Amino acid sequence: MGLKNEAQSGYGTKKFYQEYVSGMSRERFSKELTADTERLKLVYKEAVEDIERQQGQQLPGHIKMLRLFSDLAQRLNPTRRLIFGLGSVSFVAYYVLNFLDIIQYFLIGDLLLPFSFLSMFMLLLIELLEKSDVQKEIDLAREIQLSLLPGTSLSKDNLEVYSFAHTAKEVGGDYLDVIETEKGTYVVIADVSGKGLSAALYMVRLQALVNLIIEKDHPSPKELFLQLNNYIKSNSKDKTFVTGCAAFFPNDEDHFEYIRAGHNIPIYYNKERDTTFKLKANGFALGMASTKLLDKNLEVKKFHFKPGDSVLFYTDGLNESRNERDEEYGEERIESLMEIYGSLHAKTIIGKVQSSLEAFIGSVSPLDDVTFTCVHRPEK
């Protein structure tokens, strides 16, 4: 057994090199270059292509460059924009004066290039420091969000629940909750439109409201979603919509009540028939229609839930995950796994789905949040 010497012998060239190149790998280069390229394409589209489409004609090359430069500069605050502009002008002026061979006639001619370099370098350092501070805040937001997720497992005499959640970004918009009450257990899974911090904040608000409604009213799944829709539609400027499923498993009963609001169809395994079924039910996504219209279209279903039965709820991040060949994981794989492992414990089923997904995507990171949970009635 080897012991690692954690004492610091000094800070030399080798140590600097190791710190500088840490995290550099071919896979990470490829991923980050692709992300940066897509970001630059989006900036170019907003600055140039959208204007060309509105005007119905191609812009001259120098106008494209000016528009792109202006769009990038507008993303900086006024002080940094001034530094950026002065540094850019100094850089161009130095080479123009050199080309015309008149730089020696200007007192500050030789200082133009050093000034350009230093201003850009200082601007870069400031932006990096600010990005680091923002990243710390996002990391904190991620910790808060993850702390609000339910425990991965719930085990009762007649019910097992086990869950998996992975965010595609630092914070995500998938919502999962398992809420125990005196009358039974609620399982709610939802996907907020969008990604990143805005979707995550909306998800947190949604979670607080769900817990409040259940604690106060003990509603049916349909009543729960109708109240949530009232909340979402209460702000006319809010264009967010939420797909979701809600199920209620009563204590000491052999059935569960279920609704689906435009969400992925859960997979149900029936031990008696040794087969799987899709739990289809009609319903709009929350926020897409008025509560009155949703009330008419939100279909309530009841299903038997006997010993050995299982049901898998999931978000579209699972079935839409892609591998290196851009192939989709698909619903068929999920159904096949439930057919094979559906009679096993919830934890085992979730482990099998997770292993299958990881083997399928390989080194590719999911582009969307991946969340799934399994509810299983154990055999006595």
Side-chain angles (χ1 to χ4, degrees), residues 62-103:
H62 68 285
I63 299 297
K64 290 182 179 180
M65 291 300 298
L66 288 174
R67 287 203 61 86
L68 183 60
F69 182 87
S70 175
D71 191 81
L72 289 171
Q74 288 298 322
R75 296 167 187 262
L76 302 172
N77 64 37
T79 302
R80 296 175 194 175
R81 198 183 312 149
L82 176 63
I83 296 173
F84 180 64
L86 291 174
S88 300
V89 170
S90 298
F91 181 81
V92 173
Y94 176 81
Y95 284 99
V96 169
L97 295 176
N98 256 324
F99 178 78
L100 298 176
D101 199 24
I102 56 174
I103 194 169

Side-chain angles (χ1 to χ4, degrees), residues 11-56:
Y11 193 87
T13 306
K14 183 177 180 181
K15 180 69 175 177
F16 170 78
Y17 174 77
Q18 290 174 343
E19 290 181 353
Y20 192 83
V21 301
S22 63
M24 294 184 182
S25 64
R26 182 181 302 176
E27 294 77 13
R28 186 161 183 174
F29 282 147
S30 176
K31 177 183 176 181
E32 293 177 352
L33 283 173
T34 300
D36 290 341
T37 301
E38 292 301 320
R39 195 174 292 112
L40 287 173
K41 286 181 180 178
L42 181 61
V43 172
Y44 182 80
K45 178 179 179 299
E46 294 174 352
V48 178
E49 292 181 354
D50 289 349
I51 301 299
E52 289 182 333
R53 186 164 49 252
Q54 292 173 8
Q55 296 182 357

Side-chain angles (χ1 to χ4, degrees), residues 167-208:
T167 54
K169 294 190 175 183
E170 288 82 357
V171 286
D174 280 5
Y175 167 51
L176 172 65
D177 225 336
V178 180
I179 304 171
E180 285 189 88
T181 68
E182 296 178 355
K183 298 181 180 180
T185 302
Y186 291 85
V187 176
V188 184
I189 190 169
D191 189 357
V192 179
S193 60
K195 297 181 180 67
L197 191 57
S198 60
L201 291 173
Y202 204 97
M203 185 274 280
V204 172
R205 292 162 61 195
L206 194 70
Q207 183 186 36

